[in-house]
Amino acid sequence: MISSLTGAVAHVDDDALVVVVGGVGFSVAVVPQLARTVAVGSDIHLHTNLIVREDALALFGFETREELVVFGQLLSVTGVGPKSALGVLSSLTVPQIAEAVAADDDAPFKRVSGIGPKTAKLIVVQLAGKLAPPRSAAPATARAAGAIPAQVAQALIGLGWSERVAAEAVASVADGASETDRASVQALLRLTLSVLGPARREPAGG
């Protein structure tokens, strides 16, 4: 099994490269987006999948390991061959594929050349739970988590605390709070108020 190639690009086609490794040129099928970014003579490292058939050997290369993994998972779907799997990765990014599968949305796959409605549905059904969560989920969660302390600070300002005191108190309490309390405006507000206490209250803007 050829799992990766590192060498010089000797030839570039719309959807394939010839990579020379140790004097041997390997023809590698790639997504068009990658082919457009490389130049003859440049060095390249590819994660590869070698498809062995009775009448041919075909090598498929990817810039990232995530793409290689998703390519292999697409091949596990009934009715999806190497060219169709490469077509999906040519039309959709790995996060877009993961998002579509997670949302049970076969529409993006129907728009891929060579993928019919039945196969598009099978991709969603058979890959459900097998793909890594979309990368966008983590930043979204982080943004939501960051919004909670801000809401608590605004509530404290509305109660008469200065912006500086409110922000510092919320930050201090959030650092020591449990994950459950940090995820709740009410819980974090209650904890912060218990630390501030009425004796330390000051007019807003003070």
Side-chain angles (χ1 to χ4, degrees), residues 97-167:
I97 294 170
E99 288 171 4
V101 171
D104 193 24
D105 180 13
D106 61 1
F109 302 109
K110 290 179 181 178
R111 293 192 286 269
V112 177
S113 178
I115 300 291
K118 181 179 178 180
T119 302
K121 188 62 179 177
L122 284 173
I123 290 175
V124 171
V125 171
Q126 295 186 11
L127 292 189
K130 296 181 180 180
L131 299 178
R135 291 183 178 181
S136 59
T141 301
R143 286 195 295 271
I148 289 174
Q151 291 178 47
V152 174
Q154 285 301 314
L156 290 171
I157 292 170
L159 290 172
W161 298 93
S162 72
E163 183 176 347
R164 177 184 60 80
V165 170

Side-chain angles (χ1 to χ4, degrees), residues 11-110:
H11 183 74
V12 179
D13 279 330
D14 291 341
D15 55 1
L17 307 174
V18 174
V19 181
V20 177
V21 181
V24 179
F26 293 85
S27 178
V28 189
V30 298
V31 296
Q33 297 93 315
L34 176 58
R36 288 194 292 267
T37 64
V38 299
V40 172
S42 62
D43 292 329
I44 194 169
H45 176 77
L46 295 173
H47 301 274
T48 57
N49 186 313
L50 178 64
I51 305 295
V52 180
R53 292 184 170 172
E54 292 183 0
D55 58 346
L57 299 177
L59 195 59
F60 295 81
F62 305 92
E63 195 170 15
T64 68
R65 183 155 187 81
E66 288 79 9
E67 290 174 311
L68 174 67
V69 170
V70 172
F71 178 75
Q73 290 171 322
L74 285 166
L75 291 178
S76 71
V77 176
T78 304
V80 177
K83 289 185 178 180
S84 295
L86 191 65
V88 171
L89 284 162
S90 298
S91 301
L92 302 168
T93 65
V94 169
Q96 287 171 338
I97 294 170
E99 288 171 4
V101 171
D104 193 24
D105 180 13
D106 61 1
F109 302 109
K110 290 179 181 178

Side-chain angles (χ1 to χ4, degrees), residues 3 47 133 147 166 174 184:
S3 59
H47 301 274
S184 167

